[in-house]
């Protein structure tokens, strides 16, 4: 294998790459997002500097079903995040994510710094309830429920699209061959080519169960603000470095 061939490889292993070159397009991606007020000390401990908490001590827990994802296939994902500020700009910081498919775990960590681990999320409609569950090592660690399509946002789809396009931030950490930090960055990105097929709001509930290796309950639920159900298409572009901790 020549140097040029090596540098053309999209990912490891070079003989059978985990994921192809981008761009990465998602079609019909379905979300259940439960926004809630959490403990301010726990929120601050999970939020890396120089990010600051947004007013209200708000976190969110989400389930995502991806039936058609370029290079990644058909999979599901679940995880938590924080409403934050980067130099005064509202943003969403990803705290942890659990995924049932290897390519998006590998690509997400290596390219954008998504905090992904293996888990078993499930999002489905159970009679009159949109229901999300997360299992880790066969134990259920999260359960989210929302009324099914009670309040349509058909007259606010531009607002939904603008919300999806706001700054999103990850903490990317990659060690060198000696185990010391090689990459330590805050990575920002904004979704592109967003199409909203439908969006709904409604009553929601969230139950998080403490688990030492799946720490979704470390941002405890104090008060549920509400639920959002949406179906969208978009392109996930490559990110940009907002802050380099090794500079």
């Amino acid at each position: 294998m020549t140097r040029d061939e090596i540098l053309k490889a999209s990912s490891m292993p070079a003989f059978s790459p985990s994921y192809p070159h981008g761009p990465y397009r998602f079609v019909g991606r379905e979300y259940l997002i439960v926004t809630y007020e959490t403990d301010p000390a726990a929120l601050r401990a999970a939020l890396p500097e120089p990010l600051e908490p947004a007013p209200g001590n708000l976190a969110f827990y989400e389930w995502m079903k991806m039936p058609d994802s370029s290079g990644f296939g058909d999979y599901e994902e679940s995880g938590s995040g924080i409403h934050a500020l980067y130099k005064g700009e509202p943003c969403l910081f990803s705290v942890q994510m659990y995924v049932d498919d290897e390519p998006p775990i590998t690509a997400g960590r290596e390219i954008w710094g998504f905090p992904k681990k293996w888990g078993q999320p499930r999002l489905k409609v159970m009679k009159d309830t949109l229901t999300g569950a997360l299992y880790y090592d066969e134990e259920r660690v999260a359960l989210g429920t929302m009324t099914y399509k009670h309040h349509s946002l058909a007259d606010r789809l531009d607002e939904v699209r603008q919300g999806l396009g706001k700054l999103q931030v990850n903490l990317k950490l990659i060690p060198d061959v000696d185990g010391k930090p090689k990459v330590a960055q805050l990575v920002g990105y904004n979704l592109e080519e967003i199409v909203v097929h439908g969006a709904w709001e409604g009553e929601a509930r969230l139950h998080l169960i403490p688990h030492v290796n799946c720490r979704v309950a470390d941002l405890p639920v104090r008060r549920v603000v509400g639920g959002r159900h949406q179906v969208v298409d978009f392109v996930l572009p490559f990110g940009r470095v907002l802050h380099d901790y090794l500079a």
Side-chain angles (χ1 to χ4, degrees):
M1 184 180 297
T2 67
R3 177 181 182 276
D4 287 345
E5 289 173 333
I6 291 170
L7 296 180
K8 287 180 182 178
S10 59
S11 59
M12 297 185 298
F15 273 21
S16 180
S18 290
Y19 53 90
H21 290 292
Y24 305 96
R25 181 169 183 81
F26 295 79
V27 177
R29 181 164 173 161
E30 184 176 16
Y31 292 77
L32 165 59
I33 306 170
V34 181
T35 301
Y36 65 97
E37 182 182 342
T38 190
D39 177 75
L43 186 151
R44 178 68 271 185
L47 197 62
E49 59 181 14
L51 297 181
E52 295 291 337
N57 298 314
L58 294 180
F60 60 93
Y61 196 92
E62 61 185 357
W63 281 266
M64 293 161 282
K65 180 183 290 186
M66 278 72 73
D68 184 351
S69 307
S70 299
F72 303 142
D74 179 358
Y75 67 102
E76 297 190 45
E77 186 169 297
S78 178
S80 60
I82 292 172
H83 289 263
L85 299 172
Y86 171 69
K87 297 183 177 180
E89 179 182 356
C91 64
L92 301 175
F93 174 71
S94 296
V95 178
Q96 51 193 321
M97 309 173 84
Y98 297 88
V99 188
D100 64 358
D101 186 20
E102 186 273 334
I105 293 177
T106 306
R109 290 170 63 108
E110 293 180 356
I111 300 174
W112 299 272
F114 283 112
K116 297 189 178 190
K117 295 174 68 173
W118 177 265
Q120 293 176 297
R122 294 293 178 264
L123 177 62
K124 57 185 176 181
V125 180
M126 300 286 287
K127 305 300 183 182
D128 61 346
T129 309
L130 182 62
T131 304
L134 173 63
Y135 292 85
Y136 188 88
D137 292 341
E138 301 182 4
E139 297 292 334
R140 192 176 73 184
V141 292
L143 175 66
T145 55
M146 177 182 165
T147 54
Y148 187 66
K149 294 187 177 180
H150 278 202
H151 304 291
S152 173
L153 300 179
D155 59 343
R156 294 167 52 194
L157 295 187
D158 285 344
E159 177 186 327
V160 174
R161 183 165 51 251
Q162 290 173 6
L164 285 162
K166 73 191 300 183
L167 175 63
Q168 302 191 50
V169 183
N170 299 325
L171 176 60
K172 181 174 180 177
L173 300 172
I174 297 179
D176 207 341
V177 292
D178 60 2
K180 296 178 181 179
K182 180 67 173 180
V183 175
Q185 302 167 335
L186 276 185
V187 176
Y189 65 97
N190 297 77
L191 303 180
E192 299 175 350
E193 300 180 33
I194 300 168
V195 177
V196 181
H197 296 288
W200 302 264
E201 286 184 341
E203 289 285 326
R205 296 294 184 270
L206 180 62
H207 179 49
L208 303 176
I209 300 169
H211 189 295
V212 70
N213 284 322
C214 184
R215 294 166 51 186
V216 294
D218 282 17
L219 289 176
V221 180
R222 283 192 167 180
R223 179 181 64 90
V224 171
V225 175
R228 169 74 63 86
H229 176 204
Q230 57 196 26
V231 181
V232 302
D233 304 342
F234 60 80
V235 170
L236 174 61
F238 294 114
R240 59 192 184 276
V241 177
L242 301 178
H243 185 81
D244 188 343
Y245 296 97
L246 299 178

